[in-house]
Amino acid sequence: MGNDRDIKYMRIAIGEAKKAAEAGEVPVGAVIVCDDTVVAKARNEREERATATAHAEILAIEGASKKLGRWRLSDCTIYVTKEPCPMCAGAIFQARMARLVFGPSDQKGGSAGTLYNIVQDKRLNWWVEVERGVLQEENIKLLQDFFRKRRQKGDQE
């Protein structure tokens, strides 16, 4: 799924997710694009920063806002390697992002249509366009490999 542009930017997000995995973080990456230019990219850093809010999406939104000098990102698209959690979906909504593109759905915390739909809740005053399933298989494999290695490592300790 996804057009050539979505695939191009999702590959950058996957690169960020791979960096997260190498650092021992859950492999999630995010990229924010405005006017066909990458303005921010980030990966999960919860373990490194020892804070629950250091998700890739939050860090990318902070980076884009800082670079652009504004909080309203209504002309931007965020690419995320998996469906955002409630906190990140809320941040995407709060930043007034135009579009969200993600890989696989998250059956345990997905908040862009799976468990909740924060980004498209008609009771709210902003709706984000959503594209699901972009490079889904690659992203699933990255997550599965990470957790398989983590379980194997846990068995050896």
Side-chain angles (χ1 to χ4, degrees):
M1 276 198 205
N3 60 39
D4 289 344
R5 178 179 291 151
D6 289 345
I7 290 168
K8 170 186 170 181
Y9 293 121
M10 183 61 78
R11 290 206 184 284
I12 296 170
I14 289 170
E16 290 298 306
K18 287 178 179 177
K19 291 178 191 174
E22 290 166 10
E25 301 278 355
V26 174
V28 177
V31 173
I32 296 179
V33 176
C34 302
D35 297 321
D36 211 25
T37 301
V38 173
V39 295
K41 55 187 180 176
R43 61 178 178 80
N44 272 357
E45 295 184 17
R46 283 193 315 182
E47 301 299 329
E48 292 167 73
R49 295 184 184 211
T51 181
T53 59
H55 286 202
E57 300 95 323
I58 301 293
L59 299 175
I61 289 168
E62 289 174 354
S65 293
K66 185 174 184 177
K67 182 170 186 172
L68 297 172
R70 56 188 164 93
W71 67 267
R72 192 179 300 268
L73 304 175
S74 55
D75 58 337
C76 301
T77 297
I78 186 166
Y79 295 85
V80 188
T81 55
K82 74 173 204 49
E83 184 177 6
C85 72
M87 175 183 70
C88 293
I92 291 165
F93 161 78
Q94 288 295 334
R96 305 297 193 258
M97 304 285 295
R99 201 161 166 255
L100 162 64
V101 178
F102 65 86
S105 297
D106 181 352
Q107 301 302 315
K108 295 183 179 180
S111 297
T114 300
L115 295 180
Y116 307 102
N117 199 353
I118 294 169
V119 296
Q120 293 183 322
D121 189 322
K122 297 300 182 201
R123 296 169 295 179
L124 299 173
N125 64 342
W126 185 265
W127 304 280
V128 180
E129 180 186 332
V130 176
E131 177 74 31
R132 297 166 175 79
V134 175
L135 297 180
Q136 180 170 298
E137 296 307 316
E138 281 185 52
N139 285 306
I140 288 171
K141 183 176 181 338
L142 189 59
L143 288 160
Q144 287 174 336
D145 289 350
F146 175 80
F147 286 110
R148 184 178 309 108
K149 288 176 187 172
R150 181 180 266 184
R151 282 190 301 274
Q152 289 170 350
K153 187 177 179 182
D155 290 343
Q156 296 170 358
E157 293 178 339

